[in-house]
Each structure stands twice: as structure tokens, then as C-alpha cells.
Amino acid sequence: MSSDTPPVAKKVPAERTHHGDTVIDDYAWLADKDNPDTVSYLEAENAFTQGETEHLQDLRETIFQEIKGRTLETDLSVPTRKGGWWYYSRTEEGKQYGIQCRLLATGDTPPELKPGVALEGEQVLLDGNKLAGDSPFFAIGTSSISSDGTTLAYSTDFSGNERFTLRFKNLESGEILADEIPGIFYGGAWSADGSAFFYTTIDEAWRPYRVYRHIIGTPADDDVLVYEETDERFWVGIGLTRSERYLVLGAGSKITSEVRILDADYPTGEFTVVRPRQTGVEYSVDHAGDRFLVLHNEGAENFELATAPIDDTAAWTPLIPHREDTRLLDVDAFSDHVVVHFRRDGLTGIRVLPSDGEPYEISFPEPIHTAEPAGNPEFHTGRLRLAYASMVTPPSVYDYDLTRRELILLKRRPVLGGYEPGDYEQFREWAVAEDGTRIPISIVVKKGTARPAPTVLYGYGSYETSIDPSFSVARLSLLDRGLVFAIAHVRGGGEMGRRWYEEGKLTRKKNTFSDFVAAGRHLKESGWSSDVVARGGSAGGLLMGAVTNLAPEAFAGVVAEVPFVDALNTILDPSLPLTVIEWDEWGDPLHNADVYEYMKSYTPYENIDDRVYPPILAITSLNDTRVLYHEPAKWIARLRATAGGGPFLLKTEMGAGHGGRSGRYDAWHEEAFTLSWILDRVGAGKTEDTGDTK
């Protein structure tokens, strides 16, 4: 059932007072998920959104079929060697989820796999389709095989709340063991002999704070707590060094980290601290022969790589000194070389440090690209597995031969329907922000597109997360209809190094928003764009709400997915998931009046006024544990009551989490819904049947 009448959220004034400031929140009641009125309101919003977009049904179906038609539905990943096995995953036409498999290894050359053809001896480890059953949502949080290859630890979530149940499978017999542990977080690590598995659990604020040791074959009630983090700003996680010699227990806030290690041969031993936490110092550790490699930022804003003796882990000696123009991202140690992933000039790169030669950097074929190490579980290897993509080149898997120093293309994701990369072009533009800072913009467009053209401008800009140039099958449905797609690499992200992040957080957060507006205006002024539709999700949804308040006239439409738009109220409430952890990112408005005033001046929900706003589509999920559904629900309610313009639409997935619907076909339908709305906003929503613009 759909509705032509927009829902009107009742106003139930709730008073909030902080630092002498009293605020009335008329829609605070929407935070009560168990209130039948809340569910009724969300369902009414869904009905209204359905009615407002009903004319796009044919276009939605057309775009869904385009996405589906360009995707090789029965496909395989490139096998990865680990021990005596080749591991890979495959998908099958008509099935929502992937299937994890392995084959016995008989040499160093990966087996030749053909989509839809199971090789003799293939062993299915996990079939997501069978595990999911009839559940509308399904996700795997952990999939980890013991070092001897005999036991699989895996965890599942059937609601989207990211609280998983851990189970174990005997891979020799196929038996699911009796061991079952509910309520765990992502990840985990095996001891060297496969007798113990370490996992993390979360507190009421959805913070992973405890690490337990489970002995296979014993009751979960007997599991031993090996570490508890009492500082509410810190998360914990557990893993292994690449050599699998050491268990690594990491505790980290947004600005500080502390690592503990334990010989994986002695899982019942005590973890020891590499170096005690020091506020503002972040570090990570890997093991390389007779030393540890430590990537840290002590006196090195963009991080430097150091070494430390096994018996004196706090003594750090520089190996790759700090550089102002290069942000070191990660380090992987192998038996005969070290690989460093870095960022320079807004692009990623890879540096190799051979044990018997001079360091060098790997060259890639396109000036705008994304490259990173991927799928390298073997410690002793002469090849490096890499993931590569650009805005015109589909995701590609390479092996880099370390002896010959050459890239070997193993697979490029097929794009069906006659896709030719040469039919599209990618560009790098630079906008100028209010303070004179140059803001990079990545652009992709189909050759021959008349300019100025309608444009989708995407942004994020938080947590030092970089939105790197990448390929999208779904995006082709925009480009082939004459749209430009652009990414604004705004401050608050990490595209230009650590300083780029620092200049877009805490009391400099507004740079993120003004950068995005500057990027949109640059695209128009330079002749690229006519109408601009803004799109972002999660913290990028905060960006969407903020720029809509800042410059509503600059955008023809806004798509905000699981948007963090009620930021001040959320960060004021330490009982909510992740709040205390987030104080290092946004500031602490609960205890600091200046932070309170600064956040209040930009948080989207607090700053809606009666100007004419562009049409807005907000998409959220009822079971989201990261950005709670009530944030966009309250935002849309206040927009509808206060602002001009619109329409303002809210679409709530009633059985999903932060990532939306879990099955691939469901996700394609959701993307087709969003893209059809965008096309409609810029007058490009023509159906295949009538040619009419809706």
C-alpha cells in the first residue's frame, strides 16, 4: 500500500539542557524502537516514499536488469594458496550469497577454474545460501581456518545487528562441532596448534572490549577472559602476525593504540605489552624473523616504519623515516621481503623492501588508480598478490613476481554487455576551498558526453577514510545516460595524508562541509556540471545533511544513506553505541561547552531552517547499530515541518543493518531504486518503453 500524503510526525516536546543551553526536541520519541507508534510512523514513511516513486517502477526494473545483465552471476575468485590448499569463493546464478571452497594444492600454479564447473576434489567450506535459509538477512562475520587446515571457525548474523554466533566445523569430517558461542564481534585468531580460538565480545555500547580464549571441545561457559579494556574510548581486536608466530591483541582509540603479543605456540600464556599506550601515539606490529616491524606516528605525522628486537619491543629504530609527502598505511612482513602500502598525492602505492637489495616502488598503468596488497596468507612466497582498479578499469587481481619485477594479470572482473574501458574517461580536477586549500576531485564520464552534464557528487570525509578511485558496474547506468560521476576528496578523509584528516575533524570539522560545497561549485563553474546531486552515507550522510543546510541551492537532490544527521544528540549520550569512542573524532560536547557550541552550529538536525531545500532521499535500516534509524527519521520529520522545497523521503529497511540488505540481488534492487531517483531529479529518468521523462 502506498500513500500520496506525507506523514506528519506528532510533536512530543522533550527538553534537553547542556551547558546552560535548553533545547526542545519534538521528535525524540522516535528513538523508542519498541513503541508501536514508531513502527507505524516508519511504515507510513515507507508507504509515502513508495507512492512518490511509483512512477519510477519501470526505470527501476530497467536499471536492475542492466546491473544484473552486466554481472557474471556465476563467477569465481582467484585461488589463494595457504598451506597445502588453494582457497577461493564462487557465486552461482540465482543465488544471493557466495560459496567458500578449497582444493588440494599440487604445485605453485593456481588451478584453472571455470565458472559453474566444480573441479574434482573441491571441498565446500561454507555455502552462504544454505546457511541463510529463508532468513531475509544473513552475514558472515568470521571465517578463519586453523593453521593445520583441519578446523574452520565461522560466525553468522541473521538480523543485521552485527552480533554474531560463533561455530566450528571439522573440515576432515564435515561435522559441525558442538561448540557454540553467541554474541561475539568480528574477527578472531587461532593458536598455532589449533587447540584454542581467541575471540572478542562487545559491551552494551557496542564496543568490542573483551578477548576470550576458547579451547575446542569445551563448553563456552569455561572460556577464559584473557583481556578486558576498561577505558571506554578503546576498542580491542585479536589477530596473528603474517608469520603466525605471534598472537596480536590490539587496543586502540581514535588517536592512541597499545599492542600485546603472545607466542602462538603457548596459547595459555600471558600477553606482553609491546609499548605502553601514550596518548596520541598509534602503532601496529608485524613479525619478521629476528625482529618486529612497527608502524607508528611518534613524532611522525604521516607515520614511519621502525624495527624492534624480539626481546626489547619498546626500542624502535627507524627503517623508513617520516616523509611529509607520503602517508604510510600498512606493512606486511614476508620471509624474504617487506611490503609497505602508502599514499602520496592522493593515490595509493606499494613499496617493496627486499632482504637482499634496494627498496623500490611498483609502477601501475594508469595515472588515476587504487592499488593494495590483497590475499597474501603465505609467509614464504616469491609473489605478491595485489588488488587494482580505477574508475574505468574493473577490479583486477595481479600477482607481482618479485624476482622478475613484473605484474601478472590473473583476473579482471568481467563486465558483460560489451563494456569497453576505452569508451570512458577519468580525470582529476582541483577545487579551491574557502581557505585556499586545493581539494582533489576524481571524475569519470562516458566519452562524447555533452557538457555541462548532470552530475552525481559523492563524498565522505571522516575517520581518515579515503574514498579512492574505483569501478562500479551500477554506475554505468548513470554514465550511459549522460551523467558525470565525481568524488570530492574532502578534508576529514585520508586522501592527502594524516594532516588532511586532522584538518577535517574536531573543531575543524566544518572544513569537510565547505570543501564539498566548493567541489560542487567548481564542477559547475568549470563547465563540467549542470545539476549536481549529492550522495553520501554514514558519516558521509552527516556531510549530506550539513551541506544541505550550508548551501541548499547548490544541489538538485541529496541522497543520504544511513546518515549520521543527529550528531550532537548522539554524541551527548554516552549510553548509545560508539559514543564515547567517537569523542576523539568529534569532540566531547557533554563535558566541553566549546565543543557543544561548535557541534550545535553544524549538526544537520539542529540547523534546519525555512529556506527552500532540494529533494532529499534518506535511506536507513531499523537494526543499524552504528547510525541508529531514528536519526534520519527525526531529520526528515523536522525537514517536512520546517523547510520549504522537497519532497523529503525516508525509506527504512525493516530487517537490515548498517550495510543495508544482505543478498546481492536485494542490494541491486536497492541501488536501482536510488539511481532511478537520482535520474528523475536531473530529468534523465526516461523509461525504455515510452521514452518519457518522468
Side-chain angles (χ1 to χ4, degrees):
M1 172 182 281
S2 61
S3 172
D4 295 329
T5 305
V8 177
K10 62 183 179 181
K11 294 185 177 182
V12 182
E15 188 173 289
R16 182 198 76 207
T17 301
H18 288 287
H19 306 292
D21 180 43
T22 300
V23 176
I24 303 298
D25 186 350
D26 291 324
Y27 305 108
W29 64 273
L30 282 168
D32 185 359
K33 186 178 179 180
D34 297 324
N35 184 343
D37 289 346
T38 299
V39 175
S40 295
Y41 175 76
L42 296 176
E43 290 174 340
E45 286 283 9
N46 281 348
F48 177 64
T49 296
Q50 181 181 339
E52 286 290 294
T53 59
E54 197 166 3
H55 66 288
L56 298 173
Q57 184 173 344
D58 289 344
L59 180 59
R60 286 201 298 268
E61 179 61 24
T62 297
I63 294 174
F64 170 78
Q65 292 298 336
E66 289 173 1
I67 297 171
K68 186 172 181 287
R70 292 186 175 113
T71 303
L72 184 61
E73 297 177 67
T74 299
D75 201 3
L76 298 139
S77 67
V78 177
T80 298
R81 178 72 179 268
K82 177 69 168 67
W85 298 87
W86 290 104
Y87 291 88
Y88 57 96
S89 63
R90 55 183 174 85
T91 56
E92 294 181 359
E93 184 174 356
K95 295 184 177 181
Q96 295 267 31
Y97 302 102
I99 303 168
Q100 297 180 21
C101 308
R102 71 178 183 178
L103 275 170
L104 274 172
T106 56
D108 294 331
T109 303
E112 292 187 18
L113 304 177
K114 295 182 180 180
V117 180
L119 291 185
E120 184 178 353
E122 177 184 87
Q123 182 180 6
V124 174
L125 306 177
L126 289 177
D127 185 336
N129 305 286
K130 291 181 179 179
L131 288 171
D134 296 327
S135 175
F137 183 92
F138 171 74
I140 294 175
T142 297
S143 179
S144 177
I145 295 175
S146 59
S147 294
D148 62 7
T150 63
T151 311
L152 169 68
Y154 70 97
S155 63
T156 53
D157 168 22
F158 292 91
S159 69
N161 67 1
E162 298 181 88
R163 287 169 169 83
F164 299 88
T165 297
L166 177 65
R167 295 179 176 87
F168 299 88
K169 181 179 181 180
N170 183 316
L171 297 180
E172 295 176 318
S173 67
E175 174 192 7
I176 304 299
L177 304 184
D179 311 51
E180 185 174 304
I181 307 167
I184 78 156
F185 194 58
Y186 294 95
W190 286 97
S191 63
D193 63 1
S195 66
F197 188 79
F198 294 79
Y199 62 90
T200 57
T201 62
I202 51 179
D203 63 13
E204 291 301 315
W206 199 79
R207 176 181 68 101
Y209 76 122
R210 286 176 172 170
V211 176
Y212 285 90
R213 181 180 65 241
H214 174 73
I215 303 298
I216 302 301
T218 65
D221 290 343
D222 294 343
D223 289 357
V224 175
L225 176 66
V226 298
Y227 181 77
E228 179 174 356
E229 178 55 61
T230 58
D231 190 327
E232 293 182 350
R233 298 171 300 169
F234 282 71
W235 287 34
V236 298
I238 184 75
L240 282 167
T241 58
R242 180 169 301 282
S243 66
E244 299 188 345
R245 282 281 310 280
Y246 293 91
L247 289 152
V248 180
L249 195 163
S253 71
K254 298 292 184 184
I255 61 172
T256 305
S257 55
E258 183 177 65
V259 175
R260 289 169 167 78
I261 56 174
L262 173 64
D263 190 323
D265 285 326
Y266 303 98
T268 59
E270 295 293 325
F271 283 84
T272 59
V273 177
V274 171
R275 184 190 275 194
R277 66 187 65 176
Q278 178 182 338
T279 300
V281 175
E282 300 168 67
Y283 71 93
S284 60
V285 175
D286 203 359
H287 168 242
D290 61 352
R291 61 184 181 173
F292 287 111
L293 296 175
V294 183
L295 191 65
H296 71 89
N297 69 339
E298 184 179 36
E301 184 178 49
N302 274 330
F303 287 71
E304 74 174 21
L305 182 62
T307 62
I310 295 292
D311 58 357
D312 189 6
T313 57
W316 298 349
T317 301
L319 180 62
I320 299 180
H322 176 262
R323 283 177 54 168
E324 291 287 342
D325 66 344
T326 303
R327 166 71 159 96
L328 302 185
L329 301 173
D330 201 6
V331 59
D332 291 320
F334 297 86
S335 59
D336 298 315
H337 60 280
V338 171
V339 174
V340 177
H341 190 213
F342 67 86
R343 181 178 299 282
R344 187 184 302 135
D345 297 329
L347 297 172
T348 52
I350 295 171
R351 185 174 178 83
V352 179
L353 287 69
S355 58
D356 58 354
E358 291 297 314
Y360 60 92
E361 294 178 4
I362 299 175
S363 298
F364 295 100
E366 296 173 285
I368 300 175
H369 63 267
T370 301
E372 61 183 346
N376 291 285
E378 281 286 5
F379 187 64
H380 302 277
T381 179
R383 288 190 170 192
L384 176 67
R385 180 66 56 84
L386 305 174
Y388 176 90
S390 76
M391 299 185 83
V392 300
T393 300
S396 307
V397 177
Y398 284 94
D399 268 357
Y400 183 77
D401 189 307
L402 292 158
T403 302
R404 298 181 180 179
R405 297 194 180 184
E406 65 179 10
L407 286 167
I408 303 167
L409 178 63
L410 300 180
K411 181 169 184 174
R412 179 158 289 149
R413 181 183 297 174
V415 180
L416 307 182
Y419 174 75
E420 292 291 341
D423 292 340
Y424 301 83
E425 299 175 289
Q426 56 181 348
F427 301 89
R428 175 60 59 90
E429 287 273 332
W430 297 83
V432 179
E434 292 178 348
D435 62 1
T437 301
R438 298 176 75 237
I439 311 301
I441 308 171
S442 296
I443 299 171
V444 63
V445 64
K446 189 170 187 178
K447 285 183 179 178
T449 297
R451 304 176 195 166
T455 298
V456 175
L457 182 61
Y458 188 88
Y460 188 78
S462 292
Y463 306 114
E464 202 182 359
T465 297
S466 299
I467 307 301
D468 290 313
S470 62
F471 183 84
S472 167
V473 164
R475 187 191 299 151
L476 297 175
S477 293
L478 297 178
L479 303 183
D480 288 353
R481 287 174 171 82
L483 272 68
V484 171
F485 180 85
I487 303 168
H489 302 289
V490 295
R491 282 175 285 183
E495 287 90 339
M496 300 292 286
R498 174 51 70 96
R499 187 168 299 173
W500 202 248
Y501 167 51
E502 297 289 348
E503 291 181 358
K505 65 182 290 195
L506 298 173
T507 54
R508 290 184 282 183
K509 188 64 203 170
K510 290 182 184 178
N511 285 335
T512 304
F513 316 138
S514 56
D515 286 358
F516 190 88
V517 173
R521 287 175 174 159
H522 172 83
L523 290 173
K524 286 186 176 182
E525 293 167 1
S526 61
W528 272 103
S529 305
S530 50
D531 291 331
V532 174
V533 174
R535 185 176 184 180
S538 195
L542 165 67
L543 172 62
M544 296 299 99
V547 301
T548 306
N549 288 333
L550 186 61
E553 76 288 346
F555 305 103
V558 174
V559 177
E561 296 163 289
V562 290
F564 183 44
V565 284
D566 193 19
L568 180 58
N569 281 323
T570 293
I571 299 300
L572 279 167
D573 187 350
S575 71
L576 289 177
L578 307 182
T579 288
V580 175
I581 292 171
E582 298 284 294
W583 284 346
D584 285 331
E585 177 77 19
W586 311 100
D588 176 6
L590 186 62
H591 303 102
N592 187 314
D594 292 337
V595 171
Y596 176 88
E597 289 299 327
Y598 187 78
M599 287 195 71
K600 186 182 178 184
S601 72
Y602 73 70
T603 186
Y605 180 63
E606 305 286 350
N607 288 283
I608 298 166
D609 58 33
D610 61 359
R611 289 175 295 168
V612 174
Y613 279 63
I616 293 174
L617 172 62
I619 300 173
T620 189
S621 296
L622 188 63
N623 295 329
D624 193 341
T625 53
R626 302 187 187 219
V627 179
L628 301 184
Y629 71 90
H630 68 257
E631 295 202 28
K634 291 169 57 178
W635 183 51
I636 291 296
R638 180 170 279 181
L639 278 164
R640 200 172 285 141
T642 306
F648 310 119
L649 306 182
L650 175 67
K651 187 175 188 294
T652 304
E653 286 299 327
M654 305 301 283
H658 193 64
R661 299 170 75 178
S662 58
R664 58 174 177 163
Y665 296 102
D666 293 339
W668 295 348
H669 277 295
E670 285 299 290
E671 183 66 5
F673 179 92
T674 301
L675 296 186
S676 67
W677 186 87
I678 289 172
L679 289 166
D680 192 42
R681 297 280 63 78
V682 297
K686 296 181 180 179
T687 67
E688 295 295 313
D689 295 333
T690 65
D692 294 334
T693 300
K694 298 291 185 181

